[in-house]
Amino acid sequence: MQKTVVIVGGGVTGLTAAWTLQKNMGDAMRCFVIERALRPGGKISSARRDDFVVEIGPDSFITQKPDALALCRELGLQDRLVGSNAMERTTYVWSRGRLHPLPEGMLLMAPAKVMPVLRSRLLTWPGKLRMGMEYFIPPRRPDAPEESLAAFVRRRLGKEALEKIATPLMAGIHAADPERLSLRSTFPMFLEMEQKHGSLLRAMLRRKRVQKVNPAHKGNASAPSSMFVSLRGGLEQMTEALAAHLTPGTLRLGESVASITREDGQYVLIMDDGQYMRADAVILAAPAYATAQMVQTLDAQLAERLRAIRYVSTATVSLAYRRSEIPHALDGYGFVVPRGEHRSITACSWSSMKFPGRAPEGYALVRVFLGGAGAEHLAEQGEAELVERARVELRTTMGIAAHPQWAVAHCWWKANPQYELGHAALVEEAERLAAQHDGLHLAGAAYHGAGIPDCIRSGRVAAEMTAKKIQTNRCVTI
Ligand SMILES: Cc1cc2nc3c(=O)[nH]c(=O)nc-3n(C[C@H](O)[C@H](O)[C@H](O)COP(=O)(O)OP(=O)(O)OC[C@H]3O[C@@H](n4cnc5c(N)ncnc54)[C@H](O)[C@@H]3O)c2cc1C
């Protein structure tokens, strides 16, 4: 008999899961994606306004993790891939009343070159010396208790590197509190660098030597050379293409799952409007707190674990200007704002400098970020308040006095999962509990990485496990 798989959540994770299942299993099963919103894509959301391309949610993905790039190619989007503009690789940091370029050659917090750090006016001399001492600080024992990003950076590179570089750049990616953010669950490469080479500086110097001897080590030769990639018409083209590849009738928009129970060896999904669906397997690809609500009656312990994954709110405001109205050279990707500066924005992307085709000739598009851990009240506001706050901040930081041609703001309510200390153990426990329910899988940004490539991988893995399960069960029945 044809089996039914229901995927809850039509973000990039759920759509990838559905497509993978349909590719692998064809007519051997029926698959539905239940999505609460009226459009697929979840947090991936792009808009066109005049001749601008505006990203409301994510604006790019990294190429180091291959899954997103591979998916775009599979979907036939290779001609639309655009790398971030290579000429302008600087990111600025707002500090003591002005924008300072981040020292050249930084791999997030780890410097690859000594001279740019020494020359930088972002850091004080004691701060630079403290960073240099990192070379001599012995690594921690591998079995030492888990460290937060803040504890790790303070121990290795000092307080100033934490405040001016690691917190705005790294904790900023997760909109997180660096004192609570698990380094192991978010940036494990720095732990590996410490364990393998004894220090981050040693690891970076060795990396440089290897690259000199063998330039192929610089990266995957077949991938675009940029570290960040987007799509010409906006990232939403990826989720639109995924949705378009699904068998008609798969995607059920505007429906919301209220709860899930089990009856006669099947799952029963009860919708908000009281309708229900039966399924042999279920992939839960909604945010963890929404999934917790759905599984509360099925498994209260699992629900409790899922609820323990905290989320915070952020907001984005995109503003369009005439290029001549911006006094800054815009010679970089944008800037980040350390918490200690007490401003109400966390970062600003110079979107039209970052990727080609984001603004028409003679115009510029900038995007301001607000909120995150400890500052959610700044994000949880109406559109007019968000735009006004962004304008005030742009006047102070970039000297933009003009009114924007137009502005678009969006509050991402509880959209950013927090990978806090103990995250790996929490997820392991949630997955152990979920595995006790035959054919039930967790997938998405809350578990093994919140970046788009991580979500795609998570959706694909859940689909492959589901397909295997269905195939095994069919063999047993036969
Ligand atoms: C502002 C912002 C900027 C970001 N920037 C980047 C970036 O530049 N690069 C990057 O790699 N990542 C970025 N991210 C992270 C990345 O966008 C997300 O982690 C990823 O898109 C999440 O995909 P998902 O499918 O797991 O979840 P979602 O996109 O959240 O999809 C889950 C879906 O489940 C649906 N749902 C919820 N409850 C129910 C229910 N009861 N019934 C049915 N459906 C339900 C929701 O409506 C939603 O559509 C950013 C995130 C944000 C918020």
Side-chain angles (χ1 to χ4, degrees):
M1 216 172 72
Q2 207 183 26
K3 300 279 182 186
T4 302
V5 181
V6 173
I7 297 162
V8 186
V12 70
T13 305
L15 296 172
T16 303
W19 192 51
T20 309
L21 272 170
Q22 292 186 340
K23 251 190 336 178
N24 293 355
M25 300 205 58
D27 291 341
M29 49 110 236
R30 288 188 314 160
C31 167
F32 297 101
V33 178
I34 309 298
E35 166 54 51
R36 191 201 327 245
L38 295 174
R39 54 169 280 279
K43 269 139 211 148
I44 298 183
S45 167
S46 320
R48 267 202 165 272
R49 179 136 180 192
D50 305 332
D51 283 332
F52 293 79
V53 175
V54 187
E55 296 289 13
I56 314 288
D59 71 350
S60 56
F61 55 78
I62 54 165
T63 51
Q64 256 165 350
K65 295 183 181 179
D67 304 77
L69 201 56
L71 178 69
C72 287
R73 288 182 174 144
E74 254 183 277
L75 294 168
L77 298 173
Q78 60 275 18
D79 296 342
R80 300 194 207 168
L81 289 168
V82 283
S84 50
N85 284 329
M87 297 172 307
E88 328 273 359
R89 291 220 165 165
T90 320
T91 294
Y92 285 83
V93 181
W94 174 260
S95 178
R96 289 166 284 137
R98 53 170 291 221
L99 292 173
H100 300 262
L102 196 68
E104 189 200 324
M106 300 284 294
L107 175 66
L108 294 172
M109 64 170 137
K113 296 180 185 170
V114 177
M115 284 318 285
V117 175
L118 292 181
R119 278 198 297 262
S120 169
R121 293 172 67 187
L122 169 65
L123 300 154
T124 63
W125 278 106
K128 293 174 194 175
L129 277 175
R130 177 62 187 82
M131 274 181 90
M133 277 164 56
E134 199 272 343
Y135 193 89
F136 305 102
I137 293 175
R140 276 200 338 158
R141 285 183 25 205
D143 58 352
E146 189 184 5
E147 256 182 320
S148 67
L149 171 75
F152 178 87
V153 181
R154 243 190 322 260
R155 177 171 63 78
R156 294 222 60 92
L157 293 152
K159 192 166 161 271
E160 203 173 319
L162 169 67
E163 287 168 2
K164 292 187 177 163
I165 298 173
T167 298
L169 276 180
M170 297 167 71
I173 293 175
H174 294 271
D177 175 352
E179 304 290 343
R180 295 170 73 161
L181 189 71
S182 158
L183 186 73
R184 186 173 113 192
S185 295
T186 50
F187 299 98
M189 71 272 205
F190 292 106
L191 284 178
E192 282 158 27
M193 283 160 88
E194 181 188 38
Q195 288 308 320
K196 196 165 161 204
H197 301 280
S199 107
L200 304 182
L201 294 183
R202 278 171 214 250
M204 292 301 284
L205 292 176
R206 197 152 305 164
R207 206 173 121 120
K208 245 176 78 181
R209 249 179 270 140
V210 171
Q211 280 176 359
K212 252 191 204 157
V213 177
N214 182 3
H217 275 260
K218 276 189 172 164
N220 177 355
S222 68
S225 58
S226 300
M227 198 169 169
F228 295 98
V229 163
S230 190
L231 290 163
R232 209 169 287 285
L235 268 188
E236 193 171 321
Q237 290 185 327
M238 177 167 40
T239 41
E240 273 171 6
L242 266 173
H245 274 74
L246 299 179
T247 311
T250 304
L251 198 51
R252 293 178 44 167
L253 299 173
E255 293 185 39
S256 177
V257 176
S259 68
I260 301 175
T261 55
R262 191 137 169 97
E263 245 179 60
D264 307 327
Q266 279 195 311
Y267 291 100
V268 181
L269 292 95
I270 300 150
M271 308 293 155
D272 273 352
D273 62 5
Q275 307 251 24
Y276 67 90
M277 285 180 86
R278 288 180 168 272
D280 299 287
V282 177
I283 297 176
L284 297 164
Y289 54 85
T291 302
Q293 181 89 20
M294 291 174 222
V295 300
Q296 181 63 44
T297 18
L298 182 74
D299 188 332
Q301 247 188 319
L302 172 59
E304 189 203 313
R305 294 288 174 280
L306 294 173
R307 247 180 229 115
I309 300 174
R310 216 164 60 91
Y311 278 68
V312 298
S313 305
T314 52
T316 59
V317 187
S318 291
L319 305 99
Y321 291 98
R322 282 206 177 84
R323 179 64 189 88
S324 55
E325 291 167 342
I326 301 183
H328 196 278
L330 299 183
D331 51 350
Y333 288 152
F335 64 92
V336 293
V337 184
R339 288 166 163 234
E341 294 293 327
H342 305 294
R343 301 232 59 90
S344 53
I345 61 173
T346 55
C348 173
S349 270
W350 298 335
S351 308
S352 50
M353 303 308 290
K354 211 168 158 185
F355 291 103
R358 293 308 190 231
E361 195 61 34
Y363 289 84
L365 184 67
V366 299
R367 187 158 82 132
V368 168
F369 295 80
L370 302 98
E376 289 184 81
H377 61 286
L378 295 172
E380 292 169 353
Q381 298 189 75
E383 182 159 11
E385 287 86 356
L386 288 170
V387 171
E388 187 47 31
R389 202 172 275 274
R391 280 199 53 218
V392 169
E393 293 293 328
L394 288 178
R395 196 182 308 135
T396 309
T397 51
M398 293 179 65
I400 306 177
H403 268 273
Q405 303 290 312
W406 50 259
V408 179
H410 186 85
C411 167
W412 286 103
W413 187 83
K414 303 291 178 208
N416 297 74
Q418 301 292 284
Y419 283 47
E420 298 189 338
L421 291 171
H423 181 81
L426 184 61
V427 170
E428 198 180 309
E429 178 64 359
E431 286 179 338
R432 189 189 64 75
L433 291 166
Q436 290 175 0
H437 302 276
D438 197 29
L440 189 79
H441 292 282
L442 302 172
Y447 311 108
H448 297 283
I452 292 169
D454 304 305
C455 294
I456 289 170
R457 183 163 188 279
S458 159
R460 188 168 43 73
V461 169
E464 284 165 359
M465 283 162 73
T466 304
K468 212 168 173 181
K469 183 90 209 157
I470 289 177
Q471 275 154 352
T472 319
N473 284 354
R474 268 202 308 164
C475 291
V476 171
T477 317
I478 289 160

